[in-house]
Amino acid sequence: MATVKHVENVPQTQLDTNMAKTKPVKLGWKPEQIDKISHALNSVLANYNVHFQKLRNFHWNVTGSDFFDLHLEFEAQYKEAAEHTDEIAERIRVFGETPFSTMKEYLDESEIKESSSTQMDSDLMVRELLSDYRILLQYLSAVVQIASEQHDAGTENMIKGFIKKIEKHHWMLSSFLAK
Ligand SMILES: [Fe+2]
C-alpha cells in the first residue's frame, strides 16, 4: 500500500488541536515561492487600487453628452475593481503575507498614476483607462507566469478570470472611442 507523505509540522488530524493552535498551516509552499507570488500580487494590488480610485474620480466628475453612459459604466467597473482587489489582498493573506493596505503604499508602488480631479474631457478619461488596462494586463500576465511556475493553480485561475474581464473592458472602451 502506498504511504501518504505528510507535510512536516502540520497537524495530522482534526483532533491535534494543540498543534493547530501553535503552528499555522503553511500549505506546503516554500518561503521563496511565497515571496515571488506575494510580491507579484502586491504589485497588481497597488496598480489596481490606483486604477480603482481613478474610476471613482471619473464616475463623479465626468460631464457632457456621454455623462449617463460613462457615469454608469465607470460605476460598474469600480465595483468590479473593488471585488478584484479584495480577492487579491485575501489571496496574499492565504500565503500568510501582508497585502499593501495604505494609500501611500499604493501610490509608491503603482506604475499607474493618478489623474487630477479637475475637469477632463470624457474621451481623455477613456484613453487614460485604456492605458491603465494595458499596464494592469502586463502585471496580471506576470502573475500568471509566476503562479504557473510555482504550480499555484489558485492564484493562476483567479488572475486569469480578471484578465478576461479587463480585456473585455479594453475592447468596449476602444469601441467607444471609435465613433
Ligand atoms: Fe455614484
Side-chain angles (χ1 to χ4, degrees), residues 1-6:
M1 201 171 94
T3 48
V4 178
K5 275 188 93 177
H6 293 291

Side-chain angles (χ1 to χ4, degrees), residues 9 68 151 163 170-171:
N9 297 326
F68 288 104
H151 307 289
I163 287 175
H170 190 276
W171 159 55

Side-chain angles (χ1 to χ4, degrees), residues 39-97:
H39 269 93
L41 284 172
N42 252 332
S43 293
V44 171
L45 186 62
N47 278 282
Y48 223 147
N49 269 297
V50 174
H51 170 71
F52 164 80
Q53 188 52 37
K54 188 181 293 182
L55 286 165
R56 306 257 292 167
N57 173 354
F58 291 174
H59 166 74
W60 295 326
N61 295 311
V62 65
T63 56
S65 57
D66 303 318
F67 174 83
F68 288 104
D69 286 341
L70 290 182
H71 179 70
L72 290 177
E73 177 60 24
F74 294 159
E75 179 173 6
Q77 289 196 22
Y78 78 62
K79 283 181 174 169
E80 181 187 281
E83 285 170 19
H84 289 183
T85 49
D86 188 51
E87 279 197 58
I88 292 165
E90 289 177 1
R91 184 72 192 163
I92 293 169
R93 292 298 298 137
V94 163
F95 292 103
E97 296 297 296

Side-chain angles (χ1 to χ4, degrees), residues 17-179:
T17 49
N18 268 345
M19 201 168 178
K21 277 177 191 160
T22 53
K23 280 269 179 195
V25 175
K26 296 285 189 193
L27 298 179
W29 301 99
K30 294 182 186 135
E32 58 267 29
Q33 290 181 299
I34 289 176
D35 211 43
K36 282 181 189 163
I37 297 164
S38 60
H39 269 93
L41 284 172
N42 252 332
S43 293
V44 171
L45 186 62
N47 278 282
Y48 223 147
N49 269 297
V50 174
H51 170 71
F52 164 80
Q53 188 52 37
K54 188 181 293 182
L55 286 165
R56 306 257 292 167
N57 173 354
F58 291 174
H59 166 74
W60 295 326
N61 295 311
V62 65
T63 56
S65 57
D66 303 318
F67 174 83
F68 288 104
D69 286 341
L70 290 182
H71 179 70
L72 290 177
E73 177 60 24
F74 294 159
E75 179 173 6
Q77 289 196 22
Y78 78 62
K79 283 181 174 169
E80 181 187 281
E83 285 170 19
H84 289 183
T85 49
D86 188 51
E87 279 197 58
I88 292 165
E90 289 177 1
R91 184 72 192 163
I92 293 169
R93 292 298 298 137
V94 163
F95 292 103
E97 296 297 296
T98 308
F100 291 143
S101 308
T102 65
M103 299 309 290
K104 182 170 183 353
E105 284 170 313
Y106 298 144
L107 290 169
D108 286 350
E109 301 293 331
S110 174
E111 186 179 335
I112 292 175
K113 298 297 168 211
E114 288 193 295
S115 295
S116 100
S117 52
T118 52
Q119 280 305 318
M120 206 167 157
D121 182 75
S122 62
D123 277 14
L124 195 56
M125 288 179 171
V126 171
R127 278 208 292 277
E128 274 270 329
L129 293 175
L130 287 171
S131 163
D132 283 9
Y133 296 142
R134 289 191 289 269
I135 292 171
L136 264 181
L137 285 168
Q138 283 176 13
Y139 280 87
L140 290 164
S141 297
V143 175
V144 168
Q145 172 83 23
I146 288 164
S148 137
E149 285 164 5
Q150 312 307 320
H151 307 289
D152 172 11
T155 298
E156 196 180 340
N157 287 339
M158 175 185 79
I159 295 291
K160 281 180 172 172
F162 299 166
I163 287 175
K164 190 178 167 193
K165 288 184 173 176
I166 289 172
E167 284 174 340
K168 192 167 180 181
H169 296 321
H170 190 276
W171 159 55
M172 288 189 164
L173 288 191
S174 300
S175 299
F176 173 88
L177 281 183
K179 48 189 170 183

